[in-house]
């Protein structure tokens, strides 16, 4: 097809906006977009399911802070990526989904056209910052560029753009690039001064840092040290302050000892976090009225009485650090006791006792193999819940976990997306046998694209967390025990290495071997099904 079409122009905009990798699946309705990819520099990763493509884009965005981009058709293509869009929305991860739409002349009513979907933008708007449909070929490049910018502006998140089929094939010129809008701090300086005064006057200040503070790690450290304030992290905030720092209590908001610390604090500063129920493991927590919050989105702050500073942590935290009084000591006397109490309570917090030594060994082996620069992608599984507190991080975005929306199976494709973004960085996946089977066909992507990715498979024969909950509630075990495939044979079918290590040392050795091959590997940790409590 000669000349610039809507489809080719959309791809040129992606190139201009420095998108280097796309994830998606070609279909009869988006081939015009794929024609634009044939002669350009963008690498396309063909996944085995649209959900896998969405989670790879999510993995890219979560680990880089820049938008991951997914291509799909309308109808089932779009519905299949709604789940990763929802995960990205909950986790504030920049992501852009570009999908097609049936021809514009059929949009006014039900036509029976292939892949027709009623009110698709209304549906996708529930899991995105915005969902937009091109109303003409000329609007395509503007919408694509707008989506990429919107995904990282303010509170990051996913954006959806859909393009009717006929517009993709019609002539469409390449417009000049839109001017880049730089967001500055939006808070009033008086509020920053008031917050600094409250923090300086507090006898027992505590800082809670979430994923929104990942870009302000150095300023968070400086602020904490000037205040001698302990720092508690959300799972998304792991690494903002290194776990071995004398003020760091790690990602332990869900531990009784940390909750007691918060109750006794006379000033809590929340940085880049909603303080959502999943962070507290779904328990209601009575945060004090004097809570100080720093975030780009004040929606959650309206439900609490306190001081809200609207702005990016990168802008606001350095202002606070420069304004508070320096207490002259980088220590928190209660740290050792609180961490000791947390270690003692780990089994009861997780609801496991018999499996605890193997859980600790598995997490320790992963930490040893990945080191400071590696990335652990932890799925929704009991082993990952242990890793939230026990896996050490010294840098942000080194522990990635879909805690909010809580999607089973996100870790494998998420890990592939992260490895595409950082091909020289060690990345490993920690997943359960239940969640792994949600997205296991994406192993083929790792084989085809030669992506090294060890998958540590915590195999307890089903949905272990749900099984334990049923046991604790005294009810029967229903629908939680699985027949699983032979994972050794499964690895053989994909032509990838398989390991069945015994104990922590064996897991560590298996990881080192797995990091030497240019494909995924399966490291199966076999767990006896938990006995009834």
């Amino acid at each position: 097809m000669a000349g610039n079409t809507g489809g080719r122009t959309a791809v040129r905009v992606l190139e201009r906006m420095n998108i280097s990798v796309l994830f998606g699946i070609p279909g009869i309705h988006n081939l015009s977009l794929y024609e634009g990819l044939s002669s350009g520099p963008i690498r396309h990763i063909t996944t085995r399911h649209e959900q896998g493509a969405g989670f790879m884009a999510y993995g890219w965005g979560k680990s880089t802070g820049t938008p991951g981009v997914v291509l799909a058709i309308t109808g089932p293509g779009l519905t299949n990526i709604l789940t990763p869009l929802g995960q990205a929305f909950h986790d504030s991860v920049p992501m852009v989904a570009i999908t097609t739409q049936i021809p514009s002349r059929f949009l006014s009513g039900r036509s029976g056209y292939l892949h027709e979907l009623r009110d698709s933008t209304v549906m996708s708007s529930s899991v995105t910052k915005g969902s937009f449909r091109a109303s003409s070929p000329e609007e395509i490049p503007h919408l694509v560029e707008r989506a990429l910018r919107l995904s990282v502006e303010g509170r990051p998140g996913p954006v959806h753009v859909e393009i009717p089929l006929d517009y993709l094939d019609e002539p469409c010129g390449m417009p000049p690039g839109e001017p880049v809008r730089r967001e500055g701090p939006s808070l009033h300086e008086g509020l920053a001064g008031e917050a600094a005064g409250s923090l300086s006057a507090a006898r027992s200040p505590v800082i809670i840092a979430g994923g929104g503070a990942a870009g302000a790690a150095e300023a968070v450290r400086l602020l904490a040290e000037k205040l001698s304030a302990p720092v508690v992290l959300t799972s998304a905030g792991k690494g903002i302050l290194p776990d071995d720092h004398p003020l760091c209590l790690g990602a332990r908001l869900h531990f009784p000892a940390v909750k007691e610390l918060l109750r006794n604090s006379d000033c809590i500063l929340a940085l880049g976090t909603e303080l959502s129920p999943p962070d507290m493991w779904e328990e209601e927590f009575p945060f004090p009225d004097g809570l100080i919050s720093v975030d780009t989105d004040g929606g959650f702050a309206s439900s609490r009485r306190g001081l809200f500073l609207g702005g990016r942590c990168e802008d606001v935290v350095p202002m606070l650090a420069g304004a508070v009084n320096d207490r002259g000591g980088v220590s928190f006397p209660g740290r050792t006791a609180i961490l000791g109490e947390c270690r003692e309570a780990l089994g009861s917090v997780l609801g496991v006792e018999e499996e605890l030594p193997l859980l600790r060994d598995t997490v320790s082996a992963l930490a040893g193999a990945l080191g400071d620069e590696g990335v652990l992608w932890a799925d929704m599984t009991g082993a990952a819940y242990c890793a939230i507190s026990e896996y050490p991080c010294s840098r942000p975005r080194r522990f990635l976990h879909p805690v909010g929306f809580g999607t089973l199976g996100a870790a494998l494709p998420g890990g592939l997306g992260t490895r595409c973004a950082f091909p020289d960085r060690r990345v490993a996946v920690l997943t359960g046998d239940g969640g792994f089977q949600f997205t296991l066909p994406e192993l083929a992507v790792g084989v085809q694209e030669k992506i090294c990715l060890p998958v540590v498979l915590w195999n307890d024969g089903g949905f272990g967390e749900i099984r334990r909950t049923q046991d604790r509630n005294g009810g029967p075990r229903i629908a939680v025990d699985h027949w699983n495939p032979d994972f050794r044979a499964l690895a053989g079918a994909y032509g990838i290495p398989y390991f069945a290590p015994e104990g922590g040392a064996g897991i560590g050795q298996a990881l080192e071997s797995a990091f030497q091959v240019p494909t995924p590997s399966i490291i199966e940790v076999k767990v006896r099904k938990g006995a009834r409590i």
Side-chain angles (χ1 to χ4, degrees):
M1 188 176 296
N4 255 357
T5 63
R8 290 181 177 178
T9 298
V11 174
R12 298 291 88 79
V13 172
L14 293 173
E15 293 171 2
R16 186 168 69 185
M17 298 290 287
N18 299 314
I19 300 301
S20 58
V21 176
L22 295 178
F23 306 94
I25 295 180
I28 196 67
H29 282 182
N30 64 5
L31 291 181
S32 295
L33 286 167
Y34 278 81
E35 286 176 5
L37 291 170
S38 62
S39 59
I42 295 179
R43 177 187 180 191
H44 182 271
I45 306 294
T46 305
T47 64
R48 298 306 181 264
H49 192 282
E50 287 94 353
Q51 181 172 252
F55 278 123
M56 288 181 206
Y58 160 76
W60 177 288
K62 193 169 178 69
S63 55
T64 66
T66 63
V69 182
V70 57
L71 300 181
I73 61 169
T74 188
L78 175 57
T79 57
N80 283 339
I81 62 173
L82 286 177
T83 297
L85 285 172
Q87 187 68 61
F89 185 72
H90 200 293
D91 288 357
S92 302
V93 170
M95 178 176 163
V96 171
I98 301 175
T99 67
T100 52
Q101 179 53 276
I102 64 175
S104 58
R105 65 184 181 278
F106 294 110
L107 289 173
S108 59
R110 185 167 181 174
S111 66
Y113 201 94
L114 180 65
H115 301 323
E116 184 178 57
L117 188 61
R118 181 184 179 190
D119 294 336
S120 53
T121 56
V122 173
M123 178 181 66
S124 54
S125 66
S126 67
V127 290
T128 60
K129 292 179 70 175
S131 179
F132 310 103
R133 176 186 297 159
S135 59
S136 68
E138 293 74 25
E139 195 177 16
I140 293 172
H142 298 289
L143 279 185
V144 172
E145 185 160 345
R146 177 187 176 191
L148 289 164
R149 295 192 189 282
L150 179 59
S151 71
V152 295
E153 289 175 356
R155 180 174 183 161
V159 183
H160 170 234
V161 173
E162 69 175 25
I163 307 170
L165 283 174
D166 46 330
Y167 298 163
L168 287 172
D169 291 326
E170 291 183 16
C172 178
M174 183 71 172
E178 295 181 6
V180 177
R181 297 185 297 275
R182 299 291 184 189
E183 288 190 315
S186 58
L187 77 162
H188 190 276
E189 289 189 7
L191 293 179
E194 183 181 345
S198 297
L199 289 165
S200 296
R203 297 183 306 276
S204 54
V206 177
I207 297 172
I208 302 175
E218 181 59 23
V220 172
R221 180 193 64 78
L222 178 60
L223 177 62
E225 290 178 354
K226 289 185 72 173
L227 292 171
S228 296
V231 177
V232 189
L233 306 168
T234 69
S235 63
K238 280 178 70 71
I240 290 174
L241 195 67
D243 278 81
D244 60 0
H245 190 282
L247 291 171
C248 186
L249 296 176
R252 294 185 170 91
L253 277 169
H254 50 299
F255 282 78
V258 174
K259 291 181 179 179
E260 185 65 19
L261 173 73
L262 296 176
R263 289 189 190 96
N264 293 330
S265 171
D266 59 349
C267 187
I268 297 175
L269 173 64
L271 302 174
T273 173
E274 294 176 296
L275 298 176
S276 60
D279 289 324
M280 312 300 293
W281 282 34
E282 304 302 329
E283 289 186 12
E284 292 289 336
F285 187 82
F287 283 98
D289 291 345
L291 180 73
I292 302 171
S293 303
V294 179
D295 203 271
T296 55
D297 181 1
F300 75 92
S302 62
S303 62
R304 300 188 180 100
R305 278 182 272 179
L307 186 62
F308 175 73
L309 282 67
R312 301 187 315 150
C313 287
E314 293 92 320
D315 299 319
V316 179
V317 180
M319 296 174 63
L320 294 176
V324 298
N325 295 335
D326 192 340
R327 304 191 182 195
V330 186
S331 65
F332 170 55
R335 178 175 184 264
T336 300
I338 289 175
L339 291 180
E341 289 181 45
C342 290
R343 279 191 289 272
E344 289 294 321
L346 181 61
S348 61
V349 167
L350 296 177
V352 299
E353 294 296 343
E354 185 179 357
E355 299 170 11
L356 193 56
L358 185 55
L359 283 168
R360 290 185 186 273
D361 286 349
T362 301
V363 173
S364 178
L366 282 161
L370 290 168
D372 289 345
E373 292 297 329
V375 178
L376 176 59
W377 253 102
D379 214 294
M380 299 297 290
T381 180
Y385 306 150
C386 177
I388 288 174
S389 61
E390 304 309 301
Y391 181 79
C393 280
S394 59
R395 291 170 176 79
R397 299 192 177 109
R398 297 303 193 272
F399 177 84
L400 305 176
H401 179 53
V403 63
F405 208 49
T407 309
L408 282 168
L412 172 58
L416 290 167
T418 294
R419 280 285 283 126
C420 288
F422 299 104
D424 297 325
R425 188 173 292 176
R426 283 190 170 190
V427 180
V429 167
L430 176 60
T431 186
D433 55 295
F436 175 60
Q437 294 181 78
F438 277 47
T439 53
L440 75 81
E442 305 306 337
L443 285 172
V445 176
V447 176
Q448 184 169 337
E449 299 292 333
K450 296 182 172 55
I451 298 173
C452 174
L453 186 70
V455 177
V456 177
L457 179 61
W458 183 264
N459 183 1
D460 59 4
F463 294 136
E465 280 298 300
I466 311 304
R467 180 192 297 134
R468 280 189 287 274
T469 301
Q470 289 180 350
D471 288 350
R472 283 195 299 270
N473 292 342
R477 290 183 177 179
I478 302 174
V480 292
D481 296 323
H482 293 167
W483 175 90
N484 279 331
D486 181 335
F487 290 112
R488 181 188 297 272
L490 179 72
Y494 281 102
I496 62 176
Y498 169 87
F499 305 90
E502 295 288 339
I507 296 170
Q509 292 167 3
L511 282 163
E512 287 301 327
S513 297
F515 278 123
Q516 306 309 312
V517 298
T519 66
S521 302
I522 293 177
I523 301 172
E524 183 179 4
V525 180
K526 297 181 179 180
V527 186
R528 189 176 72 83
K529 294 182 183 180
R532 181 177 294 278
I533 297 174

